[in-house]
């Protein structure tokens, strides 16, 4: 019977190690419908852990007297050692306890989403009480630490203090305590999954906004579940590759005055092409995005056209990062034109300059929004942005009464008035861009560099409701807990692993 238990331990540990390599190499698929990779990995760990625990219980309760010891001396008397206590030493209580907590929280979060409430899968996206970036903070973290300490530390400590248990049982109890200490005090290494590939299902189209912080806002494009949203998220290194390597470099060049007018579009193109590789876009989602950006009210309900997040007071919609998100949406539609119907394909030239991209617009639009002279073109583009969200245009986005910059690096001159500045900057934007949205992105980026967040303009025109994130984000924040727990549990069964892999036999 002992060999069966050891076999189950080895199979569970081997499954964790194999899954670790698969996750590092193949990465994660983020999704709201069905199981994301994070949820599937947690369930796999939980199922193998539960099988191990059941095997331990079966092993102990199948013995007439566990290892021949029903009573063990302790002090001046004898202490009865129940089968349950022996099973607790053999079972993976650390990962089992975490799985029970995770599963209860995951079911609760999934139910809250179904009834239209925000998930509460983790308390916040910050550091926990033991200094780990585990996403569990506050009372929940202390409860987790207390429960794990009791079910692992107290049980294993009791066995260690007794006189008489066989050396093998004492060794397992000591290793259980060692694993517990590693888990509680951050002895496990930091997980490597932030560098693994991250891909998106079509209901989680995350637009990663450039940031130098370890957490921040991402925009999520509309889907059948709802409209454009702003979500707080930890900074996942792989997700931010394009933003860090292209857009942040662009910003550095612009701040130092070492940029060329052709650079924004070049870097934006590279970023969007890489984004396309991350996305598994269904024909239905491509058509939904097309109906959204081409303002086809007959094919899109009000929910998908709405803004799900907050808008700060005094800030209009013409902001850099919203234009960045719209560029990605239009690029997805343009690259998915093969699944669009003829009527929708005829609208491609409405937002994209055909002469610079080769879009097929036979029988379609003969004018690209915003490509009119000066202020007239800028105002047309602004009005179109507001029509996407079915909102009245704000006066601050159309007309200006404040002074221009004293000197414009982009224009290479000192404009005499704000209207002259806007008009000439818009002409420069059109000259070096290929679409309405990319021209607006060029315009708002230069505006921020030369004037800042003033006069209703702001790089973040949309804000998160809270810093708790959505279910997808909150699932990510459990990665360090799972990694630490599995690492610590492997320490507890290290003799079996060493014996199996070094000697080729079970101990």
């Amino acid at each position: 019977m002992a060999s069966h238990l050891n076999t189950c331990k080895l199979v569970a540990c081997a499954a964790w190690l194999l899954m670790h390599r698969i996750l590092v190499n193949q990465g994660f698929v983020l999704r709201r419908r069905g199981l994301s990779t994070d949820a599937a990995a947690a369930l796999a760990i939980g199922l193998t852990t539960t099988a191990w625990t059941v095997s331990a219980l079966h092993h102990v309760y199948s013995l007439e007297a566990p290892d021949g010891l029903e009573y063990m001396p302790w002090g001046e008397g004898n202490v009865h050692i129940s089968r349950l206590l022996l099973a607790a030493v053999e079972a993976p209580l650390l990962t089992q306890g975490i799985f029970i907590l995770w599963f209860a929280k995951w079911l609760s979060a999934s139910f809250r989403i179904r009834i239209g409430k925000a998930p509460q899968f983790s308390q916040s996206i910050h550091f926990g009480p033991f200094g780990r970036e585990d996403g569990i903070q506050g009372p929940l973290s202390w409860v987790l630490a207390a429960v794990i300490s009791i079910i692992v530390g107290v049980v294993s400590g009791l066995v260690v203090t007794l006189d008489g248990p066989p050396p093998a049982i004492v060794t397992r109890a000591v290793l259980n305590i060692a694993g517990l200490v590693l888990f509680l005090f951050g002895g496990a290494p930091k997980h490597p999954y932030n560098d693994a590939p991250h891909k998106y299902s079509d209901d989680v189209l995350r637009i990663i906004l450039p940031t130098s912080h370890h957490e921040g806002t991402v925009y999520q494009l509309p889907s059948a579940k709802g409209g454009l949203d702003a979500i707080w998220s930890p900074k996942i290194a792989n997700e931010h590759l394009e933003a860090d390597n292209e857009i942040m470099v662009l910003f550095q060049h612009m701040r130092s005055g070492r940029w060329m007018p052709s650079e924004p579009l070049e870097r934006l193109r590279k970023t969007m092409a890489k984004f396309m590789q991350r996305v598994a876009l269904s024909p239905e989602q491509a058509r939904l995005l097309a109906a959204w950006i081409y303002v086809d009210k007959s094919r899109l309900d009000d929910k998908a056209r709405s803004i799900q997040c907050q808008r700060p007071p005094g800030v209009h919609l013409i902001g850099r990062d919203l234009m960045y998100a719209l560029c990605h949406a239009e690029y997805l539609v343009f690259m998915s034109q093969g699944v669009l119907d003829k009527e929708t394909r005829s609208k491609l030239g409405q937002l994209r300059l055909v002469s610079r991209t080769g879009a097929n617009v036979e029988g379609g639009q003969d004018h690209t929004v915003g490509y009119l002279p000066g202020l007239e073109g800028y105002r047309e583009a602004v009005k179109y942005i507001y029509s996407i969200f079915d909102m009245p245009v704000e006066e601050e986005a159309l007309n200006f009464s404040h002074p221009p910059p004293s000197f414009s690096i982009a224009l290479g001159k000192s404009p005499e008035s704000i209207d002259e500045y806007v008009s000439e900057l818009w002409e420069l934007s059109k000259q070096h861009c290929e679409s309405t949205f990319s021209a607006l992105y060029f315009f708002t980026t230069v505006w921020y560099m030369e004037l800042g967040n003033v006069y209703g303009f702001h790089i973040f025109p949309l804000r998160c409701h809270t810093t708790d994130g959505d279910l997808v984000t909150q699932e990510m924040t459990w990665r360090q807990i799972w990694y630490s727990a599995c690492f610590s549990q492997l320490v507890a069964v290290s003799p079996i692993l060493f014996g199996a892999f070094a000697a080729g036999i079970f101990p």
Side-chain angles (χ1 to χ4, degrees):
M1 294 299 296
S3 63
H4 293 164
L5 174 59
N6 289 337
T7 300
C8 190
K9 291 179 180 179
L10 183 61
V11 169
C13 294
W16 297 352
L17 293 172
L18 287 173
M19 185 170 61
H20 164 72
R21 291 311 312 166
I22 292 172
L23 292 177
V24 168
N25 294 334
Q26 299 299 321
F28 296 78
V29 177
L30 310 183
R31 65 175 77 246
R32 287 187 289 182
R33 294 194 306 267
L35 289 178
S36 66
T37 304
D38 284 285
L43 288 172
I45 296 172
L47 292 175
T48 52
T49 294
T50 302
W52 178 352
T53 301
V54 171
S55 177
L57 289 171
H58 183 264
H59 164 65
V60 171
Y61 278 85
S62 66
L63 300 176
E64 293 184 0
D67 292 317
L69 293 169
E70 286 288 356
Y71 288 89
M72 299 180 182
W74 191 26
E76 297 181 355
N78 290 329
V79 177
H80 181 267
I81 301 301
S82 69
R83 298 171 186 265
L84 186 61
L85 183 60
L86 181 58
V89 175
E90 297 282 3
L93 294 184
L94 179 58
T95 50
Q96 189 70 67
I98 291 173
F99 174 66
I100 292 173
L101 174 64
W102 176 90
F103 191 64
K105 295 286 291 180
W106 182 69
L107 287 180
S108 173
S110 301
F111 175 75
R112 289 178 62 87
I113 289 175
R114 287 182 178 274
I115 62 176
K117 294 185 177 181
Q120 294 180 347
F121 194 35
S122 63
Q123 297 301 304
S124 186
I125 305 170
H126 297 289
F127 291 90
F130 300 102
R132 300 171 312 203
E133 193 177 356
D134 54 19
I136 305 300
Q137 192 180 37
L140 179 60
S141 183
W142 294 107
V143 169
L144 173 64
V147 171
I148 296 299
S149 298
I150 291 172
I151 64 176
V152 178
V154 172
V155 170
S156 298
L158 179 61
V159 172
V160 171
T161 57
L162 294 174
D163 296 325
I169 294 180
V170 175
T171 299
R172 292 179 191 125
V174 170
L175 289 175
N176 283 341
I177 295 174
L180 176 66
V181 171
L182 284 176
F183 177 77
L184 291 180
F185 295 98
K190 183 173 175 58
H191 73 81
Y193 304 130
N194 284 352
D195 295 316
H198 282 66
K199 299 181 180 180
Y200 308 134
S201 65
D202 58 12
D203 62 340
V204 183
L205 298 178
R206 289 160 58 95
I207 308 301
I208 304 303
L209 305 181
T211 180
S212 58
H213 305 294
H214 77 283
E215 56 185 316
T217 302
V218 301
Y219 285 169
Q220 188 160 282
L221 296 180
S223 68
K225 295 289 185 180
L228 185 69
D229 203 357
I231 298 166
W232 197 255
S233 174
K235 184 174 182 177
I236 305 299
N238 181 264
E239 285 190 292
H240 281 261
L241 279 177
E242 295 79 33
D244 286 347
N245 294 338
E246 299 295 340
I247 305 303
M248 290 296 284
V249 173
L250 170 64
F251 294 165
Q252 292 170 6
H253 289 177
M254 296 183 79
R255 289 190 184 99
S256 61
R258 297 183 293 110
W259 67 287
M260 297 293 292
S262 60
E263 187 176 359
L265 179 60
E266 292 174 0
R267 294 192 178 276
L268 186 60
R269 277 178 166 175
K270 293 178 182 178
T271 302
M272 294 188 298
K274 292 291 186 180
F275 174 73
M276 186 72 185
Q277 296 176 3
R278 296 181 182 273
V279 174
L281 195 66
S282 67
E284 293 76 15
Q285 178 65 15
R287 289 190 281 267
L288 183 146
L289 289 176
W292 180 56
I293 64 173
Y294 296 130
V295 197
D296 190 343
K297 298 182 180 180
S298 63
R299 302 188 183 189
L300 198 65
D301 59 26
D302 293 340
K303 184 178 180 181
R305 299 177 63 197
S306 63
I307 295 176
Q308 303 290 308
C309 51
Q310 289 184 337
R311 290 189 59 200
V315 174
H316 53 66
L317 291 179
I318 312 305
R320 185 193 70 191
D321 288 344
L322 178 55
M323 301 305 108
Y324 184 70
L326 289 171
C327 286
H328 284 71
E330 193 273 338
Y331 184 80
L332 289 178
V333 172
F334 176 72
M335 296 301 294
S336 304
Q337 56 186 285
V339 302
L340 304 178
D341 57 65
K342 184 176 180 180
E343 180 184 352
T344 304
R345 287 199 303 271
S346 69
K347 299 178 181 178
L348 292 175
Q350 182 174 327
L351 296 174
R352 182 169 283 255
L353 202 61
V354 181
S355 60
R356 297 180 189 172
T357 61
N360 179 18
V361 292
E362 294 181 7
Q365 304 291 323
D366 57 0
H367 168 65
T368 301
V369 173
Y371 280 78
L372 295 173
L375 274 173
E376 185 181 1
Y378 166 79
R379 287 168 177 160
E380 182 185 39
V382 168
K383 292 175 182 177
Y384 191 87
I385 296 298
Y386 278 84
S387 70
I388 292 176
F389 300 100
D390 196 22
M391 298 172 57
V393 184
E394 293 165 295
E395 181 67 19
E396 295 81 1
L398 293 175
N399 299 304
F400 312 93
S401 57
H402 43 79
S406 57
F407 183 83
S408 170
I409 296 177
L411 301 179
K413 59 180 290 189
S414 297
E416 296 182 1
S417 68
I418 189 63
D419 285 351
E420 177 188 341
Y421 175 68
V422 172
S423 177
E424 294 191 16
L425 180 56
W426 183 248
E427 287 297 322
L428 184 67
S429 302
K430 293 188 303 178
Q431 181 181 349
H432 293 282
C433 291
E434 61 187 6
S435 69
T436 304
F437 297 149
S438 60
L440 281 167
Y441 179 71
F442 186 107
F443 180 92
T444 52
T445 302
V446 174
W447 178 284
Y448 173 68
M449 293 296 175
E450 297 190 340
L451 286 172
N453 292 321
V454 293
Y455 315 124
F457 284 87
H458 200 286
I459 55 174
F460 292 119
L462 304 178
R463 310 286 175 83
C464 307
H465 284 294
T466 69
T467 57
D468 292 336
D470 63 351
L471 181 60
V472 171
T473 296
Q474 291 178 15
E475 285 178 341
M476 294 180 189
T477 62
W478 282 77
R479 292 176 184 174
Q480 185 60 43
I481 282 188
W482 281 118
Y483 189 75
S484 298
C486 290
F487 181 89
S488 302
Q489 196 68 65
L490 289 175
V491 169
V493 293
S494 54
I496 292 178
L497 296 179
F498 289 145
F501 289 109
I505 58 175
F506 297 140

